[in-house]
Amino acid sequence: AQKITQTQPGMFVQEKEAVTLDCTYDTSDQSYGLFWYKQPSSGEMIFLIYQGSYDEQNATEGRYSLNFQKARKSANLVISASQLGDSAMYFCAMREGPGGAQKLVFGQGTRLTINP
Amino acid sequence: DTGVSQDPRHKITKRGQNVTFRCDPISEHNRLYWYRQTLGQGPEFLTYFQNEAQLEKSRLLSDRFSAERPKGSFSTLEIQRTEQGDSAMYLCASSKGSRVAIRDTQYFGPGTRLTVL
């Protein structure tokens, strides 16, 4: 069963606008972590932001914030004031635990293109 | 702080040849992971080491694949008798091993892109 679903294959946004990238997940664990990574065309996966299932506040890191809705099992990434350098693939990933596997399970990604 | 490094960055080989990739994790990270990413997909987990012990292996890791981390530092991933289906980006990641397991963040290297002709 698909554990992480990213329904937007591609998004096109004007520079300086905010953008929301969707991510829904499926797990029966009460304890899990959700991660977002950015992958530019160079290929490296860059860690952006983390949200734990027990965290009461939505995570924020600079221009990145996470809209975490536990009951809906969604963890959408919000990028404020988008920049040309934000153009990349974005992946949502989940880690179950603490007794679960150490691996991250990734979605299929969303390609974000920022237009000048 | 030096990030995760991988070598080579690109490898082109002929079907049936053996290839070996190297990964150097962030220093003091005791956990190391290998993932494979095919075009248009997210990375898929292959295997995981804690120090020198290989603790998890995916069923994706067929018997043609072997990974080692001999002294708990760098790791190698070898593919024997390569097939065209092995063409992919091979990503290595490392993590510190957080006390709170679910928030143990994995940091990735630049990847090795393998093309099997």
Side-chain angles (χ1 to χ4, degrees):
Chain A
Q2 186 89 11
K3 293 228 177 204
I4 298 285
T5 303
Q6 294 181 253
T7 56
Q8 306 152 311
M11 290 276 287
F12 296 84
V13 174
Q14 285 299 117
E15 191 180 7
K16 299 181 186 174
E17 288 184 353
V19 57
T20 298
L21 305 180
D22 294 342
C23 172
T24 58
Y25 59 91
D26 181 28
T27 181
S28 55
D29 276 9
Q30 296 301 308
S31 177
Y32 51 88
L34 296 156
F35 301 79
W36 277 92
Y37 287 84
K38 172 184 178 181
Q39 188 176 42
S41 55
S42 58
E44 183 172 355
M45 299 282 286
I46 302 167
F47 167 69
L48 296 178
I49 196 167
Y50 162 83
Q51 179 84 44
S53 57
Y54 290 119
D55 294 343
E56 293 183 354
Q57 306 264 5
N58 284 344
T60 59
E61 288 286 350
R63 293 187 300 112
Y64 304 108
S65 61
L66 218 148
N67 182 1
F68 180 48
Q69 298 188 44
K70 196 169 177 177
R72 293 185 177 184
K73 294 189 174 177
S74 75
N76 299 338
L77 177 70
V78 180
I79 306 174
S80 63
S82 57
Q83 303 170 356
L84 295 178
D86 293 334
S87 294
M89 284 291 291
Y90 287 81
F91 290 95
C92 179
M94 178 174 65
R95 178 177 170 167
E96 294 168 320
Q102 303 296 325
K103 65 182 181 184
L104 288 174
V105 176
F106 287 84
Q108 291 198 302
T110 295
R111 181 173 296 282
L112 176 63
T113 303
I114 308 298
N115 296 315
Chain B
D1 187 19
T2 307
V4 178
S5 61
Q6 292 186 244
D7 184 68
R9 295 291 306 277
H10 302 273
K11 178 72 177 178
I12 300 174
T13 191
K14 291 183 180 176
R15 189 177 52 184
Q17 298 292 305
N18 299 344
V19 294
T20 301
F21 310 141
R22 176 178 169 129
C23 170
D24 287 87
I26 294 171
S27 58
E28 298 175 0
H29 278 193
N30 60 21
R31 295 181 174 181
L32 187 146
Y33 312 78
W34 286 98
Y35 290 82
R36 183 172 70 184
Q37 185 179 24
T38 53
L39 208 58
Q41 303 294 318
E44 293 177 292
F45 172 78
L46 291 178
T47 190
Y48 151 67
F49 290 85
Q50 177 146 335
N51 298 312
E52 65 275 10
Q54 188 174 18
L55 297 183
E56 283 181 52
K57 286 201 291 188
S58 162
R59 56 185 169 78
L60 291 176
L61 211 67
S62 75
D63 55 7
R64 294 186 299 106
F65 287 69
S66 62
E68 293 183 341
R69 195 182 181 197
K71 294 183 181 177
S73 56
F74 73 91
S75 174
T76 57
L77 177 69
E78 182 183 15
I79 309 175
Q80 296 183 327
R81 304 181 305 281
T82 51
E83 301 173 355
Q84 287 184 323
D86 297 331
S87 295
M89 175 80 92
Y90 290 84
L91 293 163
C92 175
S94 69
S95 70
K96 206 182 289 188
S98 169
R99 257 191 235 175
V100 180
I102 57 171
R103 70 177 308 133
D104 188 31
T105 300
Q106 297 180 23
Y107 296 91
F108 284 78
T112 295
R113 185 170 296 282
L114 173 67
T115 302
V116 181
L117 301 176

